[in-house]
Amino acid sequence: MTKTILLVGAPVDCGKARAGCLMGPDAYRSARLEGALRDLGHHVRDRGNVVPDQTAAIDRDGLHALPDTLGWTASLSRAAETAMQEGLPVFLGGDHALSLGTVHGVAAHAAQTGRPQFVLWLDAHADFHTLETTTSGNLHGTPLAYVTGRKGFDGFPPVPHPVPQDNVCIIGLRSVDAAERAALEGSAIHHHDMRAIDEYGIKALLAPFLDRVVSVGGALHVSLDVDFLDPAVAPAVGTTVPGGATIREAHLAMEMIHDSGVMTSMDLVELNPMLDERGRTAQTMVDLCASALGRKVFDRPTPRLL
């Protein structure tokens, strides 16, 4: 089915101390994301890059770049809500702090249209810390806590439409600290680590969640972090954790998402081109996005070095 896809650049680089993710949007463009989606018959518009709001907030001890993150959250929420009225937005990151804004915005749109919002989080990390529980101070580890309405986000935009915890599924976990583990296990969030993938396969974990989204006519936001993948195949991320998903496991997940027909928005996050090898991680992420939007096994072009 032909879709209108909006590419929205989100060069967020404030969610952690290591710089480089602000170059992510242009890396996706250079890796021909727009062309790959056009080749599938979609109408694609590149909306350029969002810019952060200016805020009067001040830094808080122990938190990295809080004012910048607040500015990005506000501007990306508006951009996401607007883009949802025009088509299916793909947010080109940027670190995972961008999802503080993108999920906030798409959930607002879902509430306006009367659809339940769901979130699929493909990531090595749970990103379920609050401002009070983070020990690193890196705010790219907080989006799921914020958008599900956990307390501890003083100064951030209110969350009038929190995503119900039961509507969130995390797959690929392999780096979760003690405080985050306790919060996650006390929540209704569906969470699966790499052992679960090893034992049951990604289809058995993902299919029931997608079936539920379909059964209630839900809107699905997919947030794909580079570190969902094993660093041997996707090295361009500052938070590498060995033992991640294989290329085939990731493509199967994307193909299942497409077959379900429920994805309404997507994040591509944590690509740091400074850490890439001849653009291969950017190309892998482009290929996965294409699979989520309809590319089949027999449609795949022979890879070429960038």
Side-chain angles (χ1 to χ4, degrees), residues 32-94:
R32 200 179 166 271
L33 176 58
E34 181 174 351
L37 300 181
R38 287 189 188 278
D39 289 347
L40 296 172
H42 298 302
H43 305 298
V44 185
R45 299 205 304 270
D46 190 336
R47 298 285 294 271
N49 290 349
V50 177
V51 297
D53 287 358
Q54 296 297 313
T55 73
I58 59 174
D59 275 315
R60 282 175 49 182
D61 289 344
L63 298 178
H64 179 71
L66 176 61
D68 293 337
T69 305
L70 289 170
W72 276 114
T73 299
S75 64
L76 281 169
S77 178
R78 289 195 310 275
E81 190 171 355
T82 299
M84 288 296 297
Q85 298 169 22
E86 302 177 29
L88 188 156
V90 178
F91 302 98
L92 313 179

Side-chain angles (χ1 to χ4, degrees), residues 9-302:
V12 178
D13 210 15
C14 56
K16 71 277 177 286
R18 188 168 195 169
C21 287
L22 81 167
M23 298 185 291
D26 285 342
Y28 289 125
R29 293 176 176 117
S30 296
R32 200 179 166 271
L33 176 58
E34 181 174 351
L37 300 181
R38 287 189 188 278
D39 289 347
L40 296 172
H42 298 302
H43 305 298
V44 185
R45 299 205 304 270
D46 190 336
R47 298 285 294 271
N49 290 349
V50 177
V51 297
D53 287 358
Q54 296 297 313
T55 73
I58 59 174
D59 275 315
R60 282 175 49 182
D61 289 344
L63 298 178
H64 179 71
L66 176 61
D68 293 337
T69 305
L70 289 170
W72 276 114
T73 299
S75 64
L76 281 169
S77 178
R78 289 195 310 275
E81 190 171 355
T82 299
M84 288 296 297
Q85 298 169 22
E86 302 177 29
L88 188 156
V90 178
F91 302 98
L92 313 179
D95 69 52
H96 225 152
L98 70 87
S99 299
L100 291 156
T102 60
V103 181
H104 187 276
V106 301
H109 179 266
Q112 292 167 10
T113 57
R115 298 179 70 182
Q117 181 70 59
F118 289 77
V119 175
L120 176 62
W121 205 259
L122 300 172
D123 201 326
H125 308 88
D127 296 340
F128 200 52
H129 273 296
T130 71
L131 305 188
E132 314 303 328
T133 67
T134 176
T135 55
S136 70
N138 293 330
L139 298 182
H140 68 169
T142 64
L144 272 185
Y146 173 62
V147 300
T148 55
R150 286 189 71 191
K151 298 185 183 303
F153 287 91
D154 292 345
F156 276 75
V159 184
H161 308 291
V163 180
Q165 292 181 349
D166 191 43
N167 288 8
V168 178
C169 180
I170 311 172
I171 298 180
L173 290 170
R174 56 195 189 280
S175 180
V176 182
D177 66 29
E180 200 172 28
R181 179 186 299 276
L184 195 60
E185 290 179 343
S187 77
I189 290 175
H190 306 271
H191 53 281
H192 308 289
D193 61 14
M194 287 305 302
R195 176 172 176 170
I197 293 178
D198 293 341
E199 290 186 339
Y200 304 109
I202 202 162
K203 179 179 179 180
L205 306 178
L206 180 56
F209 183 71
L210 293 176
D211 288 347
R212 182 161 163 253
V213 182
V214 171
S215 69
V216 297
L220 178 65
H221 180 83
V222 176
S223 200
L224 174 61
D225 191 311
V226 171
D227 70 24
F228 170 67
L229 297 159
D230 191 86
V233 297
V237 61
T239 52
T240 54
V241 186
T246 67
I247 290 289
R248 260 317 309 160
E249 287 167 336
H251 273 294
L252 176 57
M254 296 301 108
E255 291 158 2
M256 292 174 64
I257 288 165
H258 173 260
D259 291 347
S260 73
V262 293
M263 186 177 79
T264 50
S265 52
M266 187 177 198
D267 299 327
L268 302 177
V269 304
E270 293 288 351
L271 175 67
N272 186 336
M274 291 181 65
L275 305 176
D276 212 354
E277 299 170 359
R278 293 190 292 180
R280 70 180 177 121
T281 306
Q283 188 62 63
T284 295
M285 292 289 279
V286 166
D287 290 342
L288 290 172
C289 182
S291 285
L293 287 162
R295 184 187 283 174
K296 303 296 184 184
V297 171
F298 294 122
D299 297 333
R300 293 211 181 95
T302 300

